[in-house]
Amino acid sequence: AGDADPFRAKMNATVRQRQMNEPNLYDKEIHRAMAAVDKAAERDWRVLRLGVLVFLRAHGGSETLDPPELAWRIRNELVAIRARNDPR
């Protein structure tokens, strides 16, 4: 019933667009985990960030992150996540 409300639908679309234009990429949380040398927490935050980046790529990017920038950031996250999986 809530989706039938045109105002609510418009507000949801506005919020969704804002999230895509200025995504939360968990920078503060990742830096905090790195400073604490908490590799497990850092990996978890990076996996969340990777999910946001992949979502943005699947939806055509955002006003702040175009497709080439998203591809670059996704590659970087994959490398960082793999490094956190290394038991050494």
Side-chain angles (χ1 to χ4, degrees):
D3 290 344
D5 179 0
F7 177 75
R8 177 179 238 150
K10 183 176 181 181
M11 289 307 297
N12 286 341
T14 300
V15 168
R16 205 167 21 255
Q17 189 62 51
R18 186 176 306 135
Q19 289 171 331
M20 291 182 71
N21 291 343
E22 300 174 20
N24 177 2
L25 297 178
Y26 306 106
D27 292 329
K28 286 187 288 188
E29 295 85 353
I30 290 170
H31 289 296
R32 197 174 301 129
M34 289 170 66
V37 194
D38 185 344
K39 289 186 178 190
E42 180 187 347
R43 181 189 179 282
D44 291 345
W45 287 114
R46 287 186 178 280
V47 168
L48 284 173
R49 175 156 59 187
L50 178 61
V52 170
L53 293 170
V54 170
F55 176 86
L56 288 172
R57 184 172 70 179
H59 290 86
S62 72
E63 290 178 5
T64 55
L65 300 171
D66 61 12
E69 174 73 9
L70 284 171
W72 180 80
R73 287 180 179 229
I74 288 169
R75 276 193 307 274
N76 284 351
E77 286 311 309
L78 288 171
V79 168
I81 290 167
R82 287 181 185 131
R84 287 349 164 253
N85 284 340
D86 192 343
R88 286 175 276 156

